[in-house]
């Protein structure tokens, strides 16, 4: 069940994320992203692939309003990110889970506090918070590490911690930037199952990855970028079981 | 809803607490700076308060005597008294008859009553004694009063019970003014130092701040723990400053008590009232909170 493809969501009003002719230029004269249009529906799971420097991270940063598009429009959860006022950004981000390529964990807070942070920003009551953090840590296999600090964890453990923080609040959109880069194959599958699980429960998922084996194995929709341009958008493929 | 607030409060307290524990050095610098500032400001307050206390003591005895012409008719006197009572700043008017004046003189010159023995007539004039409202016990108000009633028929001349009181009042006003200016400068300088100190702490945690923003922390959510930290530091600084002030006061008192007695007479110096102490500690807390707010403002938390 987990590895079976989910029907792509209908295009249009139901989309969680929509990009219309989006371009991004950090430096005048060069484009990190060029005229990209795509939609991501509820519960849809998309692999975002392409060589290093293709614009995967840039695309994700624009979706959670860390960068603004230079051209085009981005609608996320019904909000036009290109025109979002700064005070409206936090509320949008609380509905989006992000696994950063460099994790962005708080080194002075414990594993437990790092995961809890996503619940603290929305003010989850203490009892519920504790239960959800514990359940999440168990799912990523870090419950025995909950009072450690991130820097005392291995790379793989830090990555799982980052994923736990992104998923603990059941986000409507999940953006995972190379979330399995530091994991060994067994752990990679476990984590991908966790992410696929979130998609099955309705979360719209973007996973940036270089790992073709992973893409083949899961057989989901693939969006491939090359030098900032949309090179491929293959709806859904048969999973290779 | 309540539960959410409670959850937030818990988070803020926990975060502020760990923040305090993480940066003990910058924290101590803030606390000590605030304590020192409040020690100085408190010393000024102590000086002014004691000077005012002396003024109050003497102020109670601060009367203006309007000496009356002899042979004033009963009806004229009554009218004069009424008009004087209506003058600005006059709380009460007492009539001191010639006989009462003589009686007083005798009482205050016991043993030297012989001075008056040879006189067949009472040389002392009758007078109206004006008791002034506290806010009118100063030179300017006195002048206004004399201007208002001085020309009234029946008044021969004025006498002030204690001339030095208005001079002393002027001195107190001056000292209070100077103390307020110096206090304000001190408080501002402290605010600057505290702001810069806290800014260092915020700068040291700038990665944390940016991560909090990325996971959806609002400006307020990020700022409140820092403001709480500032409040705690300010409160500690205030309490420490107050403790230092009390200690110094009790250490210094015996050393200076001899000369103080000369200067202050029978009014023994006392410490600040509870309200002033609470005010001092609140100023400390305020400095901490404002310092944090200013540091955060400069650090630009973003949306
Ligand atoms: N903050 C930035 N400032 C300037 N150039 C940037 C910035 N971030 C990314 N780029 C450039 O944009 C392009 C796309 O980068 P990125 O989105 O990180 O690609 P990917 O994640 O696919 O490796 C690259 O050429 C990169 O050098
Ligand atoms: Mg990248």
């Amino acid at each position: 069940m987990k590895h079976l493809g989910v029907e792509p969501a209908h295009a249009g009003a139901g989309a969680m994320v929509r990009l219309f002719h989006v371009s991004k230029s950090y430096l005048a004269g060069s484009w990190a992203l060029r005229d990209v249009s795509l939609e991501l529906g509820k519960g849809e799971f998309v692999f975002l692939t392409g060589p290093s420097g293709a614009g995967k991270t840039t695309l994700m940063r624009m979706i959670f309003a860390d960068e603004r598009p230079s051209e085009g429009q981005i609608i996320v959860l019904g909000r036009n990110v290109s025109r979002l006022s700064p005070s409206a950004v936090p509320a949008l981000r609380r509905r989006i889970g992000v696994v950063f390529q460099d994790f962005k964990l708080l080194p002075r807070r414990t594993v437990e506090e790092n995961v809890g942070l996503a619940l603290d920003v929305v003010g989850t009551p203490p009892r519920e918070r504790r239960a959800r953090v514990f359940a999440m840590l168990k799912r990523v296999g870090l419950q025995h590490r909950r009072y450690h600090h991130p820097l005392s964890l291995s790379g793989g453990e830090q990555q799982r911690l980052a994923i736990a923080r992104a998923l603990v609040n059941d986000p409507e959109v999940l953006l995972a930037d190379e979330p399995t880069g530091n994991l060994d194959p067994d752990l990679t599958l476990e984590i991908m199952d966790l992410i696929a699980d979130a998609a099955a429960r309705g979360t719209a998922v973007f996973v940036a990855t270089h790992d073709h084996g992973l893409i083949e194995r899961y057989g989901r929709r693939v969006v491939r970028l090359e030098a900032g341009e949309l090179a491929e958008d293959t709806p859904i493929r048969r999973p290779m079981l | 809803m309540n539960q959410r607030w409670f959850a937030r409060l818990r988070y803020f307290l926990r975060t502020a607490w760990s923040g305090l524990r993480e940066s003990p050095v910058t924290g101590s610098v803030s606390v000590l700076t605030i304590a020192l500032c409040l020690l100085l400001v408190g010393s000024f307050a102590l000086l002014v308060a004691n000077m005012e206390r002396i003024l109050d003591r003497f102020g109670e005895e601060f009367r203006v005597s309007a000496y009356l012409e002899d042979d004033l008719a009963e009806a004229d006197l009554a009218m004069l008294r009424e008009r004087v009572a209506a003058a600005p700043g006059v709380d009460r008017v007492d009539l001191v008859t010639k006989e009462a004046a003589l009686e007083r003189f005798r009482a205050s010159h016991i043993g030297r009553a012989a001075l008056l023995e040879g006189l067949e007539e009472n040389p002392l004039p009758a007078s109206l004694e004006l008791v002034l409202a506290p806010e009118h016990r100063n030179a300017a108000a006195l002048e206004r009063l004399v201007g208002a009633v001085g020309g009234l028929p029946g008044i021969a001349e004025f006498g002030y019970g204690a001339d030095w009181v208005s001079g002393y009042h002027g001195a107190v006003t001056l000292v209070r003014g100077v103390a307020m200016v110096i206090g304000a400068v001190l408080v501002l300088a402290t605010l600057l130092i505290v702001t810069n100190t806290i800014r260092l702490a915020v700068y040291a945690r700038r990665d944390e701040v940016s991560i909090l923003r990325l996971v959806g922390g609002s400006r307020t959510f990020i700022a409140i723990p820092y403001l709480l930290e500032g409040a705690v530091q300010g409160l500690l600084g205030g309490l420490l400053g107050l403790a230092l002030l009390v200690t110094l006061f009790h250490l210094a008192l015996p050393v200076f008590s001899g000369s103080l007695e000369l200067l202050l007479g029978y009014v023994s110096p006392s410490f600040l009232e509870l309200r002033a102490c609470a005010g001092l500690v609140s100023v400390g807390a305020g400095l901490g909170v404002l310092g944090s707010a200013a540091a955060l403002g400069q650090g630009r938390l973003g949306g």
Side-chain angles (χ1 to χ4, degrees):
Chain A
M1 171 69 197
K2 271 178 187 170
H3 291 185
L4 288 179
V6 177
E7 283 292 314
H10 297 292
M16 310 290 262
V17 178
R18 299 161 83 186
L19 280 77
F20 296 100
H21 304 289
V22 170
S23 296
K24 175 70 187 178
S25 164
Y26 291 105
L27 302 163
S30 77
W31 296 96
L33 220 54
R34 191 81 175 112
D35 195 25
V36 173
S37 296
L38 56 84
E39 292 191 0
L40 185 65
K42 189 171 159 59
E44 197 173 6
F45 184 142
V46 175
F47 281 116
L48 188 61
T49 187
S52 185
K56 304 183 290 296
T57 299
T58 297
L59 193 149
M60 288 188 169
R61 287 179 66 197
M62 289 195 293
I63 293 174
F64 68 91
D66 196 25
E67 284 289 350
R68 274 165 197 266
S70 309
E71 285 172 19
Q73 308 287 325
I74 301 183
I75 314 290
V76 179
L77 299 169
R79 305 217 138 220
N80 190 334
V81 178
S82 353
R83 289 203 293 264
L84 206 57
S85 81
S87 61
V89 168
L92 178 71
R93 287 187 182 158
R94 283 178 224 144
R95 301 167 66 186
I96 302 176
V98 183
V99 182
F100 298 93
Q101 208 167 352
D102 56 352
F103 313 144
K104 297 208 187 295
L105 302 169
L106 297 176
R108 279 180 292 244
R109 303 203 194 172
T110 62
V111 165
E112 199 273 345
E113 287 169 333
N114 267 280
V115 176
L117 192 61
L119 300 171
D120 290 330
V121 293
V122 295
T124 307
R127 192 174 304 169
E128 184 187 341
R129 176 190 183 280
R130 208 174 313 124
R132 288 177 78 162
V133 169
F134 188 78
M136 196 67 228
L137 285 175
K138 220 166 150 187
R139 283 171 80 187
V140 298
L142 284 177
Q143 73 275 28
H144 60 293
R145 297 288 237 165
R146 64 186 180 281
Y147 301 123
H148 287 68
H149 285 81
L151 293 181
S152 70
L153 305 182
S154 72
E157 285 173 324
Q158 290 184 25
Q159 191 145 45
R160 283 182 278 155
L161 176 53
I163 290 162
R165 186 182 67 191
L167 283 176
V168 71
N169 196 29
D170 286 333
E172 289 161 82
V173 175
L174 175 71
L175 308 172
D177 202 349
E178 318 219 4
T180 60
N182 291 282
L183 301 180
D184 56 38
D186 282 354
L187 227 41
T188 295
L189 291 188
E190 272 177 45
I191 291 304
M192 287 309 295
D193 282 353
L194 211 63
I195 292 173
D197 214 42
R201 288 203 310 268
T203 300
V205 176
F206 256 123
V207 176
T209 185
H210 284 115
D211 187 342
H212 289 285
L214 204 63
I215 295 170
E216 287 301 320
R217 183 180 180 95
Y218 279 83
R220 303 298 177 111
R221 177 177 162 198
V222 174
V223 170
R224 191 159 53 84
L225 295 173
E226 249 165 47
E229 295 191 27
L230 194 63
E232 175 193 341
D233 188 349
T234 314
I236 194 163
R237 297 188 291 188
R238 271 184 56 86
M240 196 181 73
L241 292 175
Chain B
M1 206 63 224
N2 267 339
Q3 262 198 323
R4 287 197 180 250
W5 282 111
F6 176 62
R8 286 235 156 82
L9 187 67
R10 258 173 61 111
Y11 170 84
F12 292 144
L13 291 175
R14 203 178 53 206
T15 309
W17 173 243
S18 52
L20 284 168
R21 285 196 334 196
E22 277 159 20
S23 39
V25 177
T26 44
S28 310
V29 170
S30 299
V31 170
L32 288 177
T33 311
I34 291 172
L36 209 67
C37 165
L38 293 183
L39 174 62
L40 293 170
V41 170
S43 305
F44 285 126
L46 202 53
L47 180 68
V48 172
N50 276 295
M51 286 180 82
E52 282 177 343
R53 203 168 282 133
I54 294 164
L55 196 66
D56 281 350
R57 283 289 178 86
F58 286 98
E60 285 163 18
E61 298 163 18
F62 185 36
R63 290 152 181 259
V64 177
S65 295
Y67 295 105
L68 303 178
E69 285 161 4
D70 279 348
D71 326 315
L72 204 58
E74 209 46 46
D76 291 343
L77 177 63
M79 202 176 69
L80 182 63
R81 196 173 166 172
E82 229 164 81
R83 294 180 66 176
V84 168
V90 176
D91 249 6
R92 206 174 74 220
V93 179
D94 295 328
L95 177 65
V96 180
T97 60
K98 286 174 77 78
E99 292 72 35
L102 188 62
E103 208 40 55
R104 264 195 207 173
F105 187 85
R106 285 211 173 102
S108 59
H109 296 83
I110 294 171
R112 283 169 290 170
L115 273 174
L116 298 171
E117 281 311 297
L119 300 165
E120 62 244 36
E121 206 182 317
N122 178 358
L124 299 175
S127 63
L128 290 175
E129 278 191 356
L130 317 186
V131 178
L132 302 185
E135 64 274 20
H136 286 268
R137 290 171 191 164
N138 58 60
L142 256 182
E143 224 165 275
R144 242 178 292 130
L145 177 68
V146 171
V149 300
L152 295 180
I155 294 179
E157 67 175 315
F158 281 96
Y160 310 116
D163 267 341
W164 67 273
V165 171
S166 86
Y168 185 74
H169 190 285
V172 173
T173 307
L174 184 70
V175 171
R176 191 198 292 128
V178 170
M180 277 169 114
V181 170
I182 296 178
V185 169
L186 273 173
V187 165
L188 278 179
T190 306
L191 189 58
L192 224 74
I193 298 174
V194 170
T195 298
N196 276 305
T197 312
I198 295 177
R199 197 165 51 169
L200 284 180
V202 174
Y203 186 74
R205 291 185 228 163
R206 64 195 181 285
D207 290 344
E208 182 164 325
V209 168
S210 79
I211 292 171
L212 289 172
R213 291 184 53 196
L214 287 177
V215 299
S218 65
R219 223 183 139 80
T220 328
F221 178 84
I222 297 169
I224 285 178
Y226 284 102
L227 297 181
L228 275 176
E229 270 181 57
V232 170
Q233 288 168 355
L235 215 58
L236 288 177
L239 290 172
L240 181 62
L242 191 62
L244 287 173
L245 191 62
V246 174
T247 312
L248 277 181
F249 179 74
H250 287 291
L251 285 180
L253 204 53
V255 179
F256 293 114
S257 60
S259 43
L260 278 178
E261 217 159 290
L262 257 175
L263 194 69
L264 307 182
Y266 60 90
V267 184
S268 72
S270 50
F271 198 69
L272 295 172
E273 283 172 29
L274 201 63
R275 267 183 50 188
C277 294
L280 215 56
V281 176
S282 316
V283 168
L287 275 172
V289 172
L290 275 179
S292 290
L296 290 173
Q298 291 163 352
R300 296 210 320 192
L301 287 183

